[in-house]
Amino acid sequence: MMIATSNSNQRVLNIAIFLVLCLGVFIAVAPLLYMASTALGGVAYVQTYPPRLIPETINFENFEQAFANRNFLRAFVNSAGVAIATSLMVTVLASTMAYSFARFEFRGKKIIFGGLLLMIMIPGVVLLIPQFILAKNLGLLNSLPGIVLVYSAGPLAFNTFLLRGFFENLPRELEESAIIDGASPFTVFWRVMLPLAAPAISTVAVFSFLGAWDEYLLALNFLTTESLRTLPVAIANFRGQHASNWGLVFAGSLTAVIPTILLFVFFQRYFIQGITSGGVRG
Amino acid sequence: MSINLARSRASTRAAAPQPTADRAKPYYRSYVPYMFLIPGLVLYLIWTVYPLAYQLYISFFDWRIIPGQTSTYVGFANYEAVFADRTFWLAMRNTALYAVVTVAGQMIIGLTLAFLVNRVAIGKRFFRTVYYLPVVTSWVVVSFLFVYLFSPGDAGLINFILTKLGTITKPISWLATADTAWIAIYSLGIWKGIGWAMVIFLAALQGIPPELYEAAAIDGASEWQRIRYMTLPLIQRTLFFVLIALMIGGFQVFVSVLLITGGGPLHRTEVALTYMFDEAFGQLHFGYGAALSYVLAIVIVVVSALQARLFGRGDKDVEY
């Protein structure tokens, strides 16, 4: 009898937990649905009353209008290029740096590594002014490769730290046997270490892609030529120019958001790994 | 290159049978580690370490960005101006308040959800995925989205829901006054960050061996006692890590305030970075902005160090 009540109590508790979590799902997703519904609801300059999370009729007018805008299409391509290039740069540079810290002895190692650790504490945004002046002096304003350099430098320290930890925990046997077989340090790195570290490196690649894809502040100030703009700046401009046409603003927004959501859903493993092993924010 | 390789091969072969000899005489040439290190390090020095030093230099000048004008050395005048500036103090107060409110919100809700997701019988992965969606959504996009959610008039989603629930009788113009605009900005900060905290807390909870719960249940500990005296101490280090990371993030609030209120009305919702941004790129006071950036960086470092002192005493999760 006792057991029966405790079982039914358990069942009530389980249902209660499930319902609370579903309420959480509603709060997390409702704003995003509202955005999608507005984007798919056709051109409207007034908000529909009552607000709808699912549009009455589906209509791609706003998306057509967004993509008819050459600069918006351009911004999408720019963002993709900048984010892919940044992701490659960070992945290559952070993994080589991490490898040198994890497996070699050399003069200055402790000081350099300590310096990197200290810099992790300093938030990147407070460097906006000197980075801007430096880019201006080097003629790197209004240059997509220029902004890739700045984007790649920021997350280097943290990702080096993350990957060094991963490299250090890899067993040495494979490397040692490759060395005995006559492999050079570069071959060992390329053929042995990188494949072994693939999960951690994917984490770094995914997060640095996202960081560059979403970046607004530097892009706003570094890339002022219209044809060089990236998506976040282009979306903000849509909002400036078509303030009351929310459908258009959100069609542009969804275009930027959907790739990141797909990336997250497909590479969820690497996201979770990155977040829980090193506390990557993204 | 080939000669060097041959040499390293020879030394490796000779040393291979004895690992100690191997360590004494490494198989690589002394410059090899630097070849791995230098490309990244150079980029890092140019774009972060040098700017940090350069910013200090700029902060001692009345810096002119326009070609042809000369910058003049002003000593500590920019720092004095920063500390005498009432808008700066208002912005710092707003920033600190934003950090405290949103960090508390994210931690409490994130932890609660993590407990519930850890307990739920079905759909763990589904819940974790969905709660994380706001985190991967771009700041620019969600800022506009919240402007839209908090639209004035009865068709705005928030006004609509609150009217239907009977919480308010007539629609509120949320972004027109600072007090209500903060509600929109805070809710965005919390809504967007919960998933991140939740995922970390959930991983920590899942790392606790189930035998401990069984033992505690046999000992007759109530649900609340188990959470208070067992679970929370076990995940102490994770709690502390999330707290610091979120605080640092909170002090860097920028895009949402810029796009939701622009710091207005009358600087009432200004935060440190929007103010720095406006001074530098709006008013072209780069020297002043540089001094302000330095003060903010120091505040962030000090706040995280203080937290480390205050909460970091039992700095390890209990071993089991």
Side-chain angles (χ1 to χ4, degrees), chain A:
Chain A
M1 196 61 209
M2 278 273 289
I3 292 163
T5 29
S6 103
N7 266 349
S8 71
N9 274 347
Q10 202 61 42
R11 186 165 302 159
V12 170
L13 185 67
N14 279 339
I15 292 169
I17 288 176
F18 190 76
L19 290 179
V20 172
L21 287 175
C22 287
L23 179 70
V25 168
F26 177 78
I27 293 170
V29 171
L32 299 173
L33 278 182
Y34 193 37
M35 171 166 76
S37 146
T38 308
L40 289 167
V43 178
Y45 290 90
V46 284
Q47 282 177 295
T48 47
Y49 185 91
R52 294 184 165 279
L53 297 183
I54 316 261
E56 252 172 319
T57 51
I58 286 184
N59 173 335
F60 288 95
E61 232 176 321
N62 288 315
F63 288 90
E64 282 161 22
Q65 203 188 329
F67 278 102
N69 183 328
R70 289 184 73 94
N71 285 320
F72 183 77
L73 204 60
R74 203 53 201 269
F76 189 87
V77 176
N78 289 343
S79 272
V82 164
I84 290 170
T86 302
S87 175
L88 275 175
M89 287 270 284
V90 173
T91 310
V92 170
L93 296 177
S95 59
T96 47
M97 280 169 90
Y99 184 55
S100 74
F101 286 122
R103 286 294 198 260
F104 295 111
E105 290 307 323
F106 54 90
R107 200 169 297 160
K109 179 175 165 176
K110 277 203 172 134
I111 293 173
I112 298 172
F113 192 69
L116 280 180
L117 278 188
L118 268 183
M119 288 293 290
I120 291 180
M121 297 254 296
I122 294 169
V125 257
V126 303
L127 297 176
L128 175 68
I129 291 171
Q131 284 174 341
F132 176 79
I133 296 176
L134 180 61
K136 187 170 178 288
N137 293 343
L138 294 175
L140 289 174
L141 290 184
N142 283 316
S143 142
L144 292 175
I147 207 158
V148 168
L149 290 178
V150 190
Y151 282 171
S152 308
L156 266 186
F158 180 77
N159 287 312
T160 301
F161 178 66
L162 194 79
L163 288 176
R164 185 199 73 138
F166 196 86
F167 283 145
E168 279 186 339
N169 288 331
L170 289 177
R172 285 174 185 264
E173 286 78 23
L174 278 171
E175 272 170 287
E176 278 164 6
S177 60
I179 292 165
I180 291 166
D181 288 345
S184 75
F186 297 95
T187 314
V188 171
F189 173 70
W190 188 249
R191 290 280 169 80
V192 182
M193 293 303 270
L194 280 191
L196 286 175
I201 285 174
S202 311
T203 303
V204 170
V206 166
F207 277 99
S208 39
F209 178 92
L210 266 194
W213 179 265
D214 282 347
E215 206 285 333
Y216 177 66
L217 183 55
L218 287 164
L220 178 67
N221 294 293
F222 279 47
L223 307 169
T224 48
T225 308
E226 194 149 8
S227 63
L228 293 178
R229 279 181 186 143
T230 53
L231 270 181
V233 181
I235 292 166
N237 278 355
F238 260 174
R239 162 89 176 116
Q241 289 159 6
H242 311 275
S244 48
N245 189 357
W246 281 103
L248 180 63
V249 174
F250 288 148
S253 300
L254 274 180
T255 312
V257 165
I258 287 169
T260 64
I261 288 184
L262 289 180
L263 198 68
F264 169 62
V265 172
F266 285 117
F267 293 97
Q268 201 179 147
R269 223 183 95 207
Y270 302 122
F271 272 83
I272 302 298
Q273 186 180 317
I275 304 156
T276 52
S277 66
V280 192
R281 305 290 310 272

Side-chain angles (χ1 to χ4, degrees), chain A residues 21 107 126 130-131 280 282, chain B residues 34 44 47 55 131 135 191 196:
Chain A
L21 287 175
R107 200 169 297 160
V126 303
Q131 284 174 341
V280 192
Chain B
Y34 297 105
Y44 191 69
W47 291 104
Q55 169 130 286
Y131 292 152
V135 186
W191 176 79
W196 184 80

